Amino acid sequence: MHANLLKKDGIFPSVCSLDCPDQCGLLVHKENGKIVKVEGDPDHPVTKGSICNKVRHMTERLYDPKRLTTPLKRTGKKGDGRFTPITWDEAIETIVSNWKHFIKEHGPESILPYSFYGNMGNINAEGMDRRFFYRLGASQLERAICSVAGSTGYKYTMGGSVGTDPEETTETKLFIMWGINAVSTNMHQMTIAQKARKNGAKIVVIDVHKNQTGRMADWFIPIWPGTDSALALGMMHILFAEKMVDRDFMKEFTVGYAELEEHVKQYDPQTVSEITGVPVDDIYELTRMYGTTSPSFIRIGNGLQHHDNGGMIVRTIACLPALTGAWQVKGGGAIKSNKSFLRHNSAALQRPDLLENKQTRTFNMNQLGKVLLEADPPVYSLFIYNANPAVVTPESNKVRKGLSRDDLFTVVHDLFLTETAQYADIVLPAASAFEQTDFYASYWHHYMQLQQPVVEPYGESKSNMEVFRLLAAAMGYDDEALQASDEELIEQTLAQSNSPFVKHIGYEDLVENHYVKADRSSFSLKKLDTPSGKIELYSELMEKDGHPPLPTYTPLVEEETFPFLFVPGPNHNFLNSTFSNNEKHIKFEKTAKIHMNRKDAEALNIEDGELVRLWNERGECELTAAVGENVLPGVVVSQGLWADMPGKKQTVNALTPDRLADMGGGATFFSGRVNVEKISLD
């Protein structure tokens, strides 16, 4: 038993497991063997003791009376939510007997895992699960629902997920928060920016919605959804034309700047204004501010990439710091993600060598509904963990129809009887992050962190690691790789890392220090992981992959003639569907709203606070109108993934398309169109 578990009382170091770039250091208070308080660790070098509302109230989630305590077996129709408790032995036997039947009748590819990062711990998110399903020979899942389009676009420019050290942005004089509601989704970057503002820094926010971050900015610039690449190209046009570029930097550290200079002449401010909705004078003012302020820093958000052209949007914005030479100034540059600085050996962790059939089929997770309804040969079994696809996946009506199939055997491993679990045949209770061992690597700051168990598992809950070890044993797999302990998996992936940034970090270092910073000393803008080793303003690799080699604006896909572009963004108190079932967090958010411009509302005879219906060919949703000037005409924005309520449809992903973005197979949540009408209460 871990030493922390032997102590009934005390304060224990921990780390936030949520899918958030900040990945805060925590202190967990325990009394009588139970967590009674979660607070920030004031000694953490980046997060410094401040935490968000979600984590501050984490105990209510951990000890929510709705939390699962035993395995369950479905007794009613799929979706009815009627279950009876069973033992773990019965649950494992039921799963394995079904899988052996499917493998015999249809082959192992009839089974599909579905997961994402509901728990950001590396071994529980992409460790024993990957090993097990590789060994099983199951169909593979392309986990592309979140950041892959932007990461792919950024990689074409910069060679990987490498950016400014956020600790250095205390020196920044101009922050451009581009497509990120940082107050809600990267609070410590906003905290740093606010402190820098006291020393004269300016904060500019470019977004489709004047959210909390936009309201805190020195200047908020509203933009038409999906046109951000055009704005960045318009800025490049002015930077070159008004000689605000650093030619010495470009000559030394980039390729393609001459081609880019010629290319952006077509993106004059008037043309760009017509595309983006940003006034010509504002384009000039923004560009001159960016071109003459040093150090300047761009925080590239997650929302930008959830468009049909999302990869190119991020690729284009990523070129801007190279034009001004911002990278060579402390506090300058950009961050899309810093994941490459904490890259462990994923092959050692996941063991893809265990997959015997290298031609095993792969499905994109964004198209789960299509997979369940159209795959040939069919998927006959789903194992879902760290995810809630009935709410978070595009075209959710199609997903739920697929989950309702009588011939589909579904297992869900979760803390709660989620919307997805309602359709399961077997539900397994999951341990929380505080009940297990894991290591974490932020995709914003540069610290790797260790979580060791603080409390015993809740009820009969088990971690992903435990469950897949049990399944492996029941399937008769005696591979050593499937018997490894949690600690052994961490040791294996860190010891075999070939990254110079983390070669000094081992499991024992994390045990002793709880968090260890990546070593950036070997990083060089002349040794990037691009084909040229430099920042690629012109990319031959993009051309080879079928993309324009230079940054380019491409319009969104034209859908049916619905009048409004629909952007379902995050809210402050949920994280995707996590916390959306908690009464306290629902009270914090109050109401599921749809933000719309006053002109549009007046034309439709809709008043603030009235219930409205949104619909398109995919589905419908009912939300409360929030009327004002926070979005441009022709745009509607919702916040948060709300669960359906009795008599009220609130699942916004019933409206979102499941087509894929331009790069990496990413999601296009923000490129759908809808109609809006007032709901008559007569």
Side-chain angles (χ1 to χ4, degrees):
M1 180 180 289
H2 191 273
N4 289 350
L5 302 181
L6 296 174
K7 301 173 183 175
K8 295 293 183 184
D9 302 284
I11 302 175
F12 303 90
S14 184
V15 54
C16 180
S17 66
L18 299 178
D19 186 0
C20 169
D22 296 53
Q23 205 158 93
C24 298
L26 305 176
L27 295 178
V28 176
H29 296 245
K30 188 168 73 168
E31 293 179 6
N32 297 318
K34 182 178 179 180
I35 295 174
V36 295
K37 179 181 177 182
V38 178
E39 65 178 352
D41 180 356
D43 294 328
H44 191 282
V46 182
T47 60
K48 297 182 177 179
S50 60
I51 56 175
C52 70
N53 236 11
K54 295 181 279 286
V55 182
R56 188 175 296 109
H57 298 285
M58 184 65 80
T59 53
E60 299 203 20
R61 174 173 169 81
L62 297 175
Y63 301 109
D64 190 319
K66 297 189 295 291
R67 189 171 168 190
L68 299 174
T69 58
T70 64
L72 303 173
K73 184 176 183 177
R74 180 171 60 85
T75 56
K77 289 179 60 178
K78 290 192 175 187
D80 284 354
R82 285 185 285 162
F83 296 87
T84 188
I86 58 174
T87 66
W88 268 99
D89 287 344
E90 185 179 353
I92 295 296
E93 194 280 328
T94 303
I95 296 167
V96 168
S97 63
N98 274 276
W99 282 356
K100 286 183 176 179
H101 167 75
F102 293 135
I103 292 170
K104 181 179 179 181
E105 296 294 321
H106 309 290
E109 291 176 73
S110 62
I111 301 167
L112 175 68
Y114 193 97
S115 72
F116 203 62
Y117 292 91
N119 178 345
M120 285 296 290
N122 285 295
I123 66 171
N124 279 279
E126 51 183 69
M128 193 61 74
D129 61 317
R130 303 292 208 276
R131 294 182 179 199
F132 174 78
F133 285 115
Y134 280 135
R135 174 65 177 82
L136 183 73
S139 289
Q140 298 297 298
L141 186 72
E142 187 179 2
R143 291 170 171 85
I145 204 167
C146 185
S147 60
V148 66
S151 295
T152 303
Y154 192 90
K155 186 176 181 180
Y156 279 128
T157 303
M158 296 296 296
S161 295
V162 292
T164 309
D165 183 342
E167 292 182 83
E168 295 184 356
T169 60
T170 54
E171 307 290 325
T172 302
K173 292 302 180 185
L174 174 64
F175 293 84
I176 299 181
M177 304 291 184
W178 203 324
I180 180 171
N181 184 3
V183 171
S184 298
T185 64
N186 191 188
M187 62 174 283
H188 294 91
Q189 184 64 78
M190 198 64 188
T191 299
I192 293 171
Q194 288 176 292
K195 289 181 179 177
R197 181 156 59 182
K198 294 178 180 178
N199 294 322
K202 297 293 184 184
I203 302 173
V204 175
V205 172
I206 304 170
D207 213 321
V208 301
H209 175 215
K210 193 172 185 180
N211 47 42
Q212 288 194 66
T213 307
R215 293 194 293 273
M216 292 177 69
D218 295 296
W219 184 19
F220 172 71
I221 302 174
I223 189 170
W224 189 253
T227 65
D228 305 83
S229 56
L231 179 57
L233 289 159
M235 292 174 67
M236 294 180 200
H237 174 103
I238 298 169
L239 289 171
F240 277 112
E242 298 193 355
K243 298 179 172 54
M244 291 185 287
V245 295
D246 187 331
R247 292 192 178 274
D248 290 338
F249 180 87
M250 289 191 293
K251 287 177 183 178
E252 186 174 359
F253 295 103
T254 77
V255 294
Y257 66 90
E259 294 92 333
L260 181 64
E261 182 173 9
E262 184 63 29
H263 174 69
V264 299
K265 288 179 180 178
Q266 65 188 294
Y267 294 98
D268 60 275
Q270 184 59 48
T271 298
V272 168
S273 179
E274 291 170 2
I275 294 170
T276 63
V278 179
V280 169
D281 288 347
D282 286 358
I283 298 172
Y284 274 108
E285 184 178 350
L286 171 65
T287 307
R288 289 166 180 163
M289 183 184 294
Y290 183 69
T292 60
T293 306
S294 182
S296 60
F297 165 74
I298 304 174
R299 180 65 172 99
I300 305 173
N302 216 42
L304 299 166
Q305 66 203 338
H306 289 156
H307 284 294
D308 298 306
N309 55 7
M312 184 60 86
I313 287 176
V314 175
R315 183 273 197 277
T316 303
I317 296 171
C319 293
L320 283 168
L323 269 63
T324 62
W327 287 113
Q328 63 189 337
V329 185
K330 185 177 181 181
I335 295 177
K336 161 61 175 71
S337 166
N338 271 320
K339 203 168 184 179
S340 291
F341 287 118
L342 292 172
R343 186 176 63 241
H344 53 272
N345 190 323
S346 59
L349 179 61
Q350 299 177 12
R351 295 293 302 274
D353 57 293
L354 293 169
L355 180 62
E356 186 175 326
N357 176 16
K358 304 305 179 186
Q359 304 305 312
T360 296
R361 64 181 180 175
T362 298
F363 294 115
N364 188 298
M365 70 185 305
N366 294 308
Q367 298 181 325
L368 179 63
K370 187 179 295 185
V371 170
L372 294 178
L373 297 175
E374 301 176 16
D376 185 19
V379 168
Y380 285 103
S381 182
L382 273 179
F383 191 101
I384 300 169
Y385 56 105
N386 288 356
N388 185 11
V391 174
V392 305
T393 305
E395 292 226 38
S396 62
N397 286 339
K398 196 185 290 184
V399 172
R400 294 184 187 202
K401 184 177 179 182
L403 290 171
S404 299
R405 277 175 37 201
D406 288 331
D407 63 342
L408 179 71
F409 176 71
T410 300
V411 182
V412 173
H413 185 210
D414 208 304
L415 279 74
F416 296 94
L417 195 64
T418 62
E419 292 82 357
T420 303
Q422 303 276 350
Y423 293 88
D425 296 280
I426 297 292
V427 181
L428 305 175
S432 76
F434 297 113
E435 298 157 25
Q436 52 196 277
T437 299
D438 217 322
F439 79 107
Y440 294 78
S442 170
Y443 50 93
W444 172 63
H445 63 65
H446 291 347
Y447 290 84
M448 188 174 285
Q449 304 180 81
L450 181 70
Q451 170 69 61
Q452 295 176 302
V454 177
V455 290
E456 295 280 4
Y458 187 82
E460 296 177 24
S461 62
K462 296 183 185 296
S463 70
N464 293 338
M465 291 283 293
E466 292 178 277
V467 170
F468 289 113
R469 280 192 288 256
L470 285 172
L471 288 169
M475 289 293 295
Y477 302 154
D478 57 4
D479 310 62
E480 186 177 338
L482 299 174
Q483 301 171 16
S485 68
D486 299 3
E487 293 77 11
E488 286 171 337
L489 257 71
I490 298 173
E491 288 172 347
Q492 289 166 11
T493 187
L494 292 180
Q496 297 181 48
S497 176
N498 56 6
S499 168
F501 309 125
V502 297
K503 63 183 180 182
H504 62 294
I505 305 177
Y507 174 67
E508 292 303 325
D509 299 295
L510 293 173
V511 170
E512 182 177 351
N513 300 295
H514 305 301
Y515 45 80
V516 181
K517 189 174 185 178
D519 179 5
R520 283 178 54 123
S521 61
S522 61
F523 177 68
S524 170
L525 291 171
K526 292 182 178 179
K527 297 178 182 178
L528 298 177
D529 286 336
T530 56
S532 66
K534 297 182 178 183
I535 300 170
E536 300 211 340
L537 305 175
Y538 184 103
S539 169
E540 292 182 358
L541 180 59
M542 290 187 73
E543 191 168 34
K544 180 182 176 183
D545 290 346
H547 305 294
L550 288 164
T552 304
Y553 166 66
T554 7
L556 300 182
V557 172
E558 285 296 324
E559 291 198 326
E560 297 291 329
T561 54
F562 296 105
F564 295 99
L565 267 170
F566 175 51
V567 177
N571 67 20
H572 194 68
N573 291 291
F574 304 168
L575 202 162
N576 298 322
S577 67
T578 303
F579 302 103
S580 66
N581 67 334
N582 183 275
E583 293 301 324
K584 176 169 278 190
H585 290 267
I586 292 171
K587 287 179 180 177
F588 287 151
E589 283 297 326
K590 297 179 181 177
T591 307
K593 297 178 181 179
I594 186 72
H595 297 267
M596 61 189 308
N597 189 274
R598 192 176 306 282
K599 291 180 181 177
D600 293 327
E602 289 174 355
L604 295 170
N605 194 30
I606 294 171
E607 295 185 6
D608 186 66
E610 289 188 320
L611 196 64
V612 298
R613 173 178 174 256
L614 288 74
W615 85 93
N616 57 23
E617 75 280 12
R618 291 179 283 271
E620 62 179 351
C621 189
E622 298 171 2
L623 304 172
T624 300
V627 177
E629 308 299 327
N630 289 335
V631 296
L632 293 174
V635 179
V636 289
V637 175
S638 68
Q639 289 185 283
L641 296 181
W642 294 74
D644 286 344
M645 304 291 284
K648 192 173 181 181
K649 300 175 181 178
Q650 299 184 137
T651 303
V652 294
N653 278 323
L655 304 166
T656 53
D658 68 354
R659 63 179 181 269
L660 304 180
D662 55 346
M663 298 178 192
T668 58
F669 289 113
F670 294 175
S671 289
R673 284 186 168 271
V674 298
N675 210 334
V676 181
E677 66 179 1
K678 179 163 63 175
I679 295 177
S680 174
L681 299 179
D682 296 342

